[in-house]
Coordinates of all heavy atoms in Angstrom, one line a residue:
Chain A
N678 N -13.0 -18.6 45.2 CA -13.8 -17.4 44.9 C -13.6 -16.8 43.5 O -14.4 -16.1 43.0 CB -13.7 -16.3 45.9 CG -14.4 -16.7 47.2 OD1 -15.6 -16.6 47.2 ND2 -13.6 -17.1 48.2
I679 N -12.4 -17.1 42.9 CA -12.1 -16.5 41.6 C -11.8 -17.5 40.6 O -10.7 -18.1 40.5 CB -10.9 -15.5 41.7 CG1 -11.1 -14.5 42.9 CG2 -10.7 -14.8 40.4 CD1 -9.9 -13.7 43.2
P680 N -12.9 -17.9 39.8 CA -12.7 -19.0 38.9 C -11.7 -18.7 37.7 O -11.3 -19.6 37.1 CB -14.1 -19.2 38.3 CG -14.9 -17.9 38.6 CD -14.2 -17.3 39.8
E681 N -11.4 -17.4 37.5 CA -10.5 -17.0 36.4 C -9.1 -17.3 36.7 O -8.2 -17.1 35.9 CB -10.7 -15.5 36.1 CG -12.0 -15.1 35.5 CD -13.0 -14.6 36.6 OE1 -12.8 -14.9 37.8 OE2 -13.9 -13.9 36.2
I682 N -8.8 -17.7 38.0 CA -7.4 -18.0 38.3 C -6.9 -19.3 37.6 O -7.6 -20.3 37.7 CB -7.2 -18.1 39.8 CG1 -7.4 -16.8 40.5 CG2 -5.8 -18.7 40.2 CD1 -7.3 -16.8 42.0
K683 N -5.8 -19.2 37.0 CA -5.2 -20.4 36.4 C -4.2 -21.0 37.3 O -4.4 -22.2 37.8 CB -4.5 -20.1 35.1 CG -4.1 -21.3 34.2 CD -3.6 -20.8 32.9 CE -3.2 -22.0 32.0 NZ -2.5 -21.5 30.8
Y684 N -3.2 -20.3 37.7 CA -2.2 -20.8 38.7 C -2.1 -19.8 39.8 O -2.2 -18.6 39.6 CB -0.8 -20.9 38.1 CG -0.7 -21.9 37.0 CD1 -0.4 -21.5 35.7 CD2 -1.1 -23.2 37.2 CE1 -0.3 -22.4 34.7 CE2 -1.0 -24.2 36.1 CZ -0.6 -23.7 34.9 OH -0.5 -24.6 33.9
L685 N -2.0 -20.3 41.0 CA -1.8 -19.5 42.2 C -0.6 -20.1 42.9 O -0.7 -21.2 43.3 CB -3.0 -19.4 43.0 CG -2.9 -18.6 44.3 CD1 -2.9 -17.1 44.0 CD2 -4.1 -18.9 45.2
A686 N 0.5 -19.3 43.0 CA 1.7 -19.9 43.6 C 2.1 -19.0 44.8 O 2.7 -18.0 44.7 CB 2.8 -20.0 42.6
P687 N 1.8 -19.4 46.1 CA 2.2 -18.7 47.2 C 3.7 -19.0 47.5 O 4.2 -20.0 47.1 CB 1.3 -19.3 48.4 CG 0.5 -20.3 47.8 CD 1.0 -20.6 46.4
R688 N 4.3 -18.0 48.2 CA 5.7 -18.2 48.4 C 6.1 -17.7 49.8 O 5.5 -16.8 50.3 CB 6.5 -17.4 47.4 CG 8.0 -17.3 47.7 CD 8.7 -16.5 46.6 NE 8.9 -17.3 45.5 CZ 9.4 -16.9 44.3 NH1 9.7 -15.6 44.2 NH2 9.6 -17.6 43.3
L689 N 7.1 -18.4 50.4 CA 7.7 -17.9 51.6 C 9.1 -17.6 51.3 O 9.8 -18.2 50.5 CB 7.6 -19.0 52.7 CG 6.3 -19.3 53.2 CD1 6.3 -20.6 54.0 CD2 5.8 -18.2 54.1
Q690 N 9.6 -16.5 51.9 CA 11.0 -16.2 51.6 C 11.8 -16.2 52.9 O 11.4 -15.7 53.9 CB 11.0 -14.8 51.0 CG 12.4 -14.4 50.6 CD 12.4 -13.1 49.8 OE1 11.4 -12.7 49.3 NE2 13.6 -12.5 49.6
G691 N 13.0 -16.7 52.8 CA 13.9 -16.7 53.9 C 13.7 -17.8 54.9 O 12.9 -18.7 54.7
T692 N 14.5 -17.8 56.0 CA 14.4 -18.8 57.1 C 14.0 -18.1 58.3 O 13.6 -16.9 58.3 CB 15.8 -19.4 57.3 OG1 16.7 -18.4 57.8 CG2 16.3 -19.9 56.0
S693 N 14.0 -18.8 59.4 CA 13.6 -18.2 60.7 C 14.6 -17.2 61.1 O 14.4 -16.3 61.9 CB 13.5 -19.3 61.8 OG 14.6 -20.2 61.6
K694 N 15.8 -17.2 60.5 CA 16.9 -16.2 60.9 C 16.9 -15.0 60.1 O 17.5 -14.0 60.4 CB 18.2 -16.9 60.8 CG 18.4 -18.0 61.9 CD 19.7 -18.6 61.9 CE 19.8 -19.6 63.1 NZ 20.8 -20.6 62.8
G695 N 16.2 -15.0 58.9 CA 16.3 -13.8 58.1 C 15.9 -14.1 56.7 O 15.7 -15.3 56.3
S696 N 15.9 -13.1 55.9 CA 15.5 -13.3 54.5 C 16.6 -14.0 53.7 O 16.3 -14.6 52.7 CB 15.0 -12.0 53.9 OG 16.1 -11.2 53.5
I697 N 17.9 -13.8 54.0 CA 19.0 -14.4 53.3 C 19.6 -15.4 54.3 O 19.9 -15.1 55.4 CB 20.0 -13.4 52.8 CG1 19.3 -12.6 51.7 CG2 21.2 -14.1 52.3 CD1 20.1 -11.5 51.1
A698 N 19.8 -16.6 53.8 CA 20.2 -17.7 54.7 C 21.7 -18.0 54.5 O 22.2 -17.8 53.4 CB 19.4 -19.0 54.4
K699 N 22.3 -18.5 55.5 CA 23.7 -19.0 55.4 C 23.6 -20.4 55.0 O 23.0 -21.2 55.7 CB 24.4 -18.8 56.8 CG 25.8 -19.1 56.7 CD 26.6 -18.2 57.7 CE 28.0 -18.0 57.4 NZ 28.2 -17.1 56.2
V700 N 24.2 -20.8 53.9 CA 24.1 -22.2 53.4 C 25.5 -22.7 53.4 O 26.4 -22.1 52.9 CB 23.5 -22.2 52.0 CG1 23.4 -23.6 51.5 CG2 22.1 -21.5 52.0
T701 N 25.7 -23.9 54.0 CA 27.0 -24.5 54.1 C 27.0 -25.9 53.7 O 26.0 -26.6 53.7 CB 27.6 -24.4 55.5 OG1 26.7 -25.1 56.4 CG2 27.8 -23.0 56.0
R702 N 28.2 -26.3 53.2 CA 28.4 -27.8 52.9 C 29.8 -28.0 53.2 O 30.7 -27.7 52.5 CB 28.0 -28.1 51.5 CG 28.2 -29.5 51.1 CD 27.7 -29.8 49.8 NE 28.0 -31.2 49.5 CZ 29.1 -31.6 48.8 NH1 29.9 -30.8 48.3 NH2 29.3 -32.9 48.6
G703 N 30.0 -28.7 54.4 CA 31.4 -28.9 54.8 C 32.0 -27.5 55.1 O 31.5 -26.7 55.8
L704 N 33.1 -27.3 54.3 CA 33.8 -26.0 54.5 C 33.3 -24.9 53.6 O 33.7 -23.8 53.7 CB 35.3 -26.2 54.3 CG 36.0 -27.1 55.4 CD1 37.5 -27.4 55.0 CD2 35.9 -26.4 56.8
K705 N 32.5 -25.4 52.6 CA 32.1 -24.4 51.6 C 30.8 -23.7 52.1 O 30.0 -24.3 52.8 CB 31.7 -25.1 50.3 CG 33.0 -25.7 49.7 CD 32.7 -26.5 48.5 CE 34.0 -26.8 47.7 NZ 34.1 -28.1 47.1
A706 N 30.7 -22.4 51.8 CA 29.5 -21.7 52.3 C 29.2 -20.5 51.5 O 30.0 -20.0 50.7 CB 29.8 -21.2 53.8
G707 N 27.9 -20.1 51.6 CA 27.5 -18.9 50.8 C 26.2 -18.4 51.4 O 25.5 -19.1 52.2
D708 N 25.9 -17.1 51.0 CA 24.6 -16.5 51.5 C 23.6 -16.5 50.4 O 23.9 -15.9 49.4 CB 24.9 -15.1 52.0 CG 25.8 -15.1 53.3 OD1 25.6 -16.1 54.1 OD2 26.6 -14.2 53.4
Y709 N 22.5 -17.2 50.6 CA 21.6 -17.3 49.5 C 20.1 -17.0 49.9 O 19.8 -17.1 51.1 CB 21.6 -18.7 48.8 CG 23.0 -19.0 48.3 CD1 23.8 -20.0 48.9 CD2 23.6 -18.2 47.3 CE1 25.0 -20.3 48.5 CE2 24.9 -18.5 46.9 CZ 25.6 -19.5 47.4 OH 26.9 -19.8 47.0
T710 N 19.3 -16.6 48.9 CA 17.9 -16.4 49.2 C 17.2 -17.7 49.1 O 17.4 -18.5 48.1 CB 17.4 -15.4 48.1 OG1 18.1 -14.2 48.2 CG2 15.9 -15.1 48.4
I711 N 16.3 -18.0 50.0 CA 15.6 -19.2 50.0 C 14.1 -19.0 49.8 O 13.5 -18.1 50.4 CB 15.7 -19.9 51.4 CG1 17.1 -19.9 52.0 CG2 15.1 -21.3 51.4 CD1 18.1 -20.7 51.2
Y712 N 13.6 -19.6 48.8 CA 12.2 -19.5 48.5 C 11.4 -20.8 48.8 O 11.9 -21.9 48.4 CB 11.9 -19.2 47.0 CG 12.3 -17.8 46.5 CD1 12.5 -17.6 45.2 CD2 12.3 -16.8 47.4 CE1 12.8 -16.3 44.8 CE2 12.5 -15.5 47.0 CZ 12.8 -15.2 45.7 OH 13.1 -14.0 45.3
G713 N 10.3 -20.7 49.6 CA 9.5 -21.8 49.8 C 8.4 -21.7 48.7 O 7.6 -20.8 48.7
D714 N 8.4 -22.7 47.8 CA 7.5 -22.5 46.6 C 6.6 -23.7 46.4 O 6.9 -24.8 46.9 CB 8.3 -22.2 45.4 CG 8.3 -20.7 45.1 OD1 7.2 -20.1 45.0 OD2 9.4 -20.2 45.0
Y715 N 5.6 -23.5 45.6 CA 4.8 -24.6 45.1 C 5.2 -25.0 43.7 O 5.8 -24.2 43.0 CB 3.3 -24.2 45.0 CG 2.6 -24.4 46.4 CD1 2.6 -23.4 47.3 CD2 2.0 -25.6 46.7 CE1 1.9 -23.6 48.5 CE2 1.3 -25.8 47.9 CZ 1.3 -24.8 48.8 OH 0.7 -25.0 50.0
P716 N 4.9 -26.3 43.2 CA 5.3 -26.7 41.9 C 4.8 -25.7 40.8 O 5.4 -25.5 39.8 CB 4.7 -28.1 41.7 CG 4.6 -28.6 43.1 CD 4.3 -27.3 44.0
D717 N 3.6 -25.2 41.0 CA 3.0 -24.3 40.0 C 3.9 -23.1 39.7 O 3.7 -22.5 38.6 CB 1.7 -23.8 40.5 CG 0.5 -24.7 40.2 OD1 0.9 -25.8 39.5 OD2 -0.6 -24.5 40.6
Y718 N 4.8 -22.7 40.6 CA 5.6 -21.5 40.3 C 6.4 -21.7 39.0 O 6.6 -20.8 38.2 CB 6.5 -21.2 41.4 CG 7.2 -19.9 41.2 CD1 6.5 -18.7 41.2 CD2 8.6 -19.8 40.7 CE1 7.1 -17.5 40.9 CE2 9.2 -18.6 40.4 CZ 8.5 -17.5 40.5 OH 9.0 -16.3 40.2
A719 N 6.8 -23.0 38.7 CA 7.6 -23.3 37.5 C 6.8 -23.1 36.3 O 7.3 -22.9 35.2 CB 8.1 -24.7 37.6
K720 N 5.4 -23.1 36.4 CA 4.6 -22.8 35.3 C 4.5 -21.3 34.9 O 4.2 -20.9 33.8 CB 3.2 -23.4 35.5 CG 3.2 -24.9 35.8 CD 2.1 -25.6 35.2 CE 2.2 -27.1 35.3 NZ 1.6 -27.6 36.6
I721 N 4.7 -20.5 36.0 CA 4.7 -19.1 35.8 C 6.0 -18.5 35.3 O 6.1 -17.7 34.4 CB 4.2 -18.4 37.1 CG1 2.8 -18.8 37.4 CG2 4.3 -16.9 36.9 CD1 2.3 -18.4 38.8
D722 N 7.0 -19.0 36.0 CA 8.4 -18.6 35.7 C 9.3 -19.8 35.5 O 9.9 -20.3 36.4 CB 8.9 -17.8 36.9 CG 10.3 -17.3 36.8 OD1 10.9 -17.4 35.6 OD2 10.9 -16.8 37.7
P723 N 9.2 -20.3 34.3 CA 9.9 -21.6 34.0 C 11.4 -21.5 34.2 O 12.0 -20.5 33.9 CB 9.6 -21.9 32.5 CG 8.6 -20.9 32.1 CD 8.7 -19.7 33.1
Q724 N 12.0 -22.6 34.8 CA 13.4 -22.7 35.0 C 13.9 -23.8 34.1 O 13.3 -24.7 33.8 CB 13.7 -23.0 36.4 CG 13.0 -22.2 37.5 CD 13.4 -20.8 37.5 OE1 14.6 -20.5 37.1 NE2 12.6 -19.9 37.9
K725 N 15.2 -23.6 33.7 CA 15.8 -24.7 33.0 C 16.5 -25.6 34.0 O 17.4 -25.2 34.7 CB 16.8 -24.1 32.0 CG 17.4 -25.1 31.1 CD 18.2 -24.5 30.0 CE 18.6 -25.7 29.1 NZ 19.5 -25.5 28.2
I726 N 15.9 -26.8 34.0 CA 16.5 -27.8 35.0 C 17.7 -28.4 34.3 O 17.6 -29.1 33.3 CB 15.4 -28.8 35.4 CG1 14.2 -28.1 36.0 CG2 16.1 -29.8 36.4 CD1 14.5 -27.5 37.4
L727 N 18.9 -28.2 34.9 CA 20.1 -28.8 34.3 C 20.2 -30.3 34.7 O 20.7 -31.1 33.9 CB 21.3 -28.0 34.7 CG 21.4 -26.5 34.3 CD1 22.6 -25.9 34.8 CD2 21.3 -26.4 32.8
T728 N 19.9 -30.5 35.9 CA 20.0 -31.9 36.4 C 18.9 -32.1 37.5 O 18.6 -31.1 38.2 CB 21.4 -32.3 36.8 OG1 21.4 -33.6 37.4 CG2 21.9 -31.3 37.8
G729 N 18.4 -33.3 37.6 CA 17.4 -33.6 38.6 C 16.0 -33.0 38.2 O 15.6 -33.1 37.1
R730 N 15.3 -32.4 39.2 CA 14.0 -31.9 38.9 C 13.6 -30.7 39.8 O 14.4 -30.4 40.7 CB 13.0 -33.1 39.2 CG 13.0 -33.6 40.6 CD 11.9 -34.6 40.9 NE 12.0 -35.1 42.2 CZ 11.5 -34.5 43.3 NH1 10.8 -33.3 43.2 NH2 11.6 -35.1 44.5
F731 N 12.4 -30.2 39.5 CA 11.9 -29.1 40.4 C 11.1 -29.7 41.5 O 10.8 -30.9 41.5 CB 11.1 -28.1 39.5 CG 10.8 -26.8 40.2 CD1 11.9 -25.9 40.4 CD2 9.5 -26.4 40.6 CE1 11.6 -24.7 41.0 CE2 9.3 -25.2 41.2 CZ 10.3 -24.3 41.4
I732 N 10.6 -28.9 42.4 CA 9.7 -29.4 43.5 C 8.4 -30.0 42.9 O 7.9 -29.5 42.0 CB 9.4 -28.2 44.4 CG1 10.6 -27.7 45.1 CG2 8.3 -28.5 45.4 CD1 10.5 -26.2 45.6
N733 N 8.0 -31.1 43.5 CA 6.7 -31.7 43.0 C 5.7 -31.8 44.1 O 6.0 -31.4 45.3 CB 6.9 -33.0 42.3 CG 7.4 -34.1 43.2 OD1 7.2 -34.0 44.4 ND2 8.1 -35.1 42.7
D734 N 4.5 -32.3 43.8 CA 3.4 -32.4 44.7 C 3.7 -33.2 45.9 O 3.2 -33.0 47.0 CB 2.1 -32.9 44.0 CG 1.6 -31.8 43.0 OD1 1.9 -30.6 43.2 OD2 0.9 -32.2 42.1
Y735 N 4.5 -34.3 45.7 CA 4.8 -35.1 46.9 C 5.8 -34.4 47.9 O 5.7 -34.6 49.1 CB 5.4 -36.5 46.4 CG 4.4 -37.3 45.6 CD1 4.4 -37.3 44.2 CD2 3.4 -38.0 46.3 CE1 3.5 -38.1 43.5 CE2 2.4 -38.7 45.6 CZ 2.5 -38.7 44.2 OH 1.5 -39.4 43.6
D736 N 6.7 -33.6 47.3 CA 7.5 -32.9 48.2 C 6.7 -32.0 49.1 O 6.9 -31.8 50.3 CB 8.5 -32.0 47.4 CG 9.4 -32.7 46.4 OD1 9.7 -33.9 46.8 OD2 9.8 -32.2 45.4
I737 N 5.6 -31.4 48.5 CA 4.7 -30.5 49.2 C 4.0 -31.3 50.3 O 3.9 -31.0 51.4 CB 3.7 -29.8 48.3 CG1 4.4 -28.9 47.3 CG2 2.6 -29.1 49.0 CD1 5.0 -27.7 47.9
K738 N 3.4 -32.5 49.8 CA 2.6 -33.3 50.6 C 3.3 -33.8 51.9 O 2.8 -33.8 53.0 CB 2.0 -34.4 49.8 CG 0.8 -35.2 50.5 CD 0.2 -36.2 49.5 CE -0.9 -37.0 50.3 NZ -1.3 -38.2 49.5
Y739 N 4.5 -34.4 51.6 CA 5.3 -35.0 52.7 C 6.3 -34.1 53.3 O 7.1 -34.5 54.1 CB 5.9 -36.3 52.2 CG 4.9 -37.3 51.7 CD1 4.9 -37.6 50.3 CD2 4.0 -37.9 52.6 CE1 3.9 -38.5 49.9 CE2 3.0 -38.8 52.1 CZ 3.0 -39.1 50.8 OH 2.1 -40.0 50.3
K740 N 6.2 -32.8 52.9 CA 7.1 -31.8 53.5 C 8.5 -32.2 53.5 O 9.2 -32.1 54.5 CB 6.6 -31.4 54.9 CG 5.2 -31.0 54.9 CD 4.7 -30.7 56.3 CE 3.3 -30.2 56.4 NZ 2.2 -31.1 56.7
R741 N 8.9 -32.7 52.3 CA 10.3 -33.2 52.2 C 11.3 -32.1 52.4 O 11.1 -31.0 51.8 CB 10.5 -33.9 50.9 CG 9.8 -35.2 50.8 CD 9.9 -35.8 49.4 NE 9.2 -37.0 49.2 CZ 8.8 -37.5 48.0 NH1 9.0 -36.7 47.0 NH2 8.2 -38.7 47.9
K742 N 12.4 -32.4 53.0 CA 13.5 -31.4 53.1 C 14.4 -31.6 51.9 O 15.5 -32.2 51.9 CB 14.3 -31.7 54.4 CG 13.5 -31.2 55.6 CD 14.4 -31.2 56.8 CE 13.5 -30.8 58.0 NZ 13.6 -31.8 59.1
V743 N 13.9 -31.0 50.8 CA 14.6 -31.1 49.5 C 14.8 -29.7 49.0 O 14.1 -28.8 49.3 CB 13.9 -31.9 48.4 CG1 13.9 -33.4 48.8 CG2 12.5 -31.4 48.2
A744 N 15.9 -29.5 48.1 CA 16.2 -28.2 47.6 C 16.6 -28.3 46.2 O 17.3 -29.2 45.7 CB 17.3 -27.6 48.5
V745 N 16.1 -27.2 45.4 CA 16.6 -27.1 44.0 C 17.5 -25.8 44.0 O 17.0 -24.8 44.4 CB 15.4 -26.9 43.1 CG1 15.8 -26.8 41.6 CG2 14.3 -28.0 43.3

Side-chain angles (χ1 to χ4, degrees):
Chain A
N678 284 288
I679 308 172
E681 293 94 338
I682 290 175
K683 190 173 180 189
Y684 299 118
L685 179 70
R688 170 178 284 174
L689 288 168
Q690 183 172 345
T692 66
S693 39
K694 292 185 176 151
S696 77
I697 293 177
K699 186 146 204 76
V700 182
T701 57
R702 179 170 177 267
L704 293 173
K705 293 174 169 143
D708 293 327
Y709 302 116
T710 302
I711 313 296
Y712 285 158
D714 263 304
Y715 274 91
D717 273 355
Y718 187 72
K720 302 217 171 89
I721 297 169
D722 177 11
Q724 311 293 334
K725 184 168 187 190
I726 300 294
L727 296 178
T728 173
R730 61 172 177 85
F731 196 67
I732 294 159
N733 67 23
D734 290 337
Y735 293 103
D736 299 331
I737 296 289
K738 192 172 174 193
Y739 299 114
K740 304 179 174 101
R741 288 173 178 157
K742 287 190 181 126
V743 292
V745 185

